[in-house]
Amino acid sequence: MAADLMAVIWMYTFGPWLDQSSRLTATATLGGHHWIVLAFAATGFLMLAGLALLTEGFTKTTTKLTLATNAARVVSVVALAGLIAFVLVALLARVVFGKLRP
């Protein structure tokens, strides 16, 4: 839930810049669609927050609530997929190229 909230704030604040800066930064916005990422992150956060109340902190659940929780998790992962890809590319570049600054 915290990652979803972070993604909403980042996409609202830096989304247009991430879209237009370069192809690498557009990866974080799923190819230049920061409003879609923002909507997915907000939806995932709201779904998980509501389900946390209904399931008493995800401790008591039914079949329908379990399905809804899994759907909310999928929405959250889709919203964060671009950010995860961006971080992985940055880490790979660090491993391949080493220290980039003198």
Side-chain angles (χ1 to χ4, degrees):
M1 287 174 54
D4 282 329
L5 189 56
M6 181 235 21
V8 168
I9 293 168
W10 272 78
M11 287 303 130
Y12 183 76
T13 307
F14 298 111
W17 179 81
L18 289 169
D19 285 346
Q20 299 168 357
S21 180
S22 71
R23 288 183 182 174
L24 180 62
T25 58
T27 303
T29 61
L30 299 178
H33 305 297
H34 74 279
W35 287 111
I36 294 173
V37 175
L38 189 142
F40 269 90
T43 302
F45 176 78
L46 292 174
M47 287 175 70
L48 287 171
L51 287 166
L53 294 173
L54 293 174
T55 60
E56 298 179 19
F58 303 108
T59 57
K60 297 179 181 177
T61 187
T62 64
T63 305
K64 289 181 182 180
L65 288 175
T66 301
L67 290 173
T69 303
N70 289 336
R73 290 175 184 163
V74 168
V75 170
S76 294
V77 168
V78 168
L80 299 173
L83 180 63
I84 293 167
F86 180 74
V87 169
L88 289 176
V89 166
L91 290 174
L92 180 65
R94 174 73 177 178
V95 168
V96 171
F97 299 117
K99 191 174 181 181
L100 297 178
R101 293 184 179 173

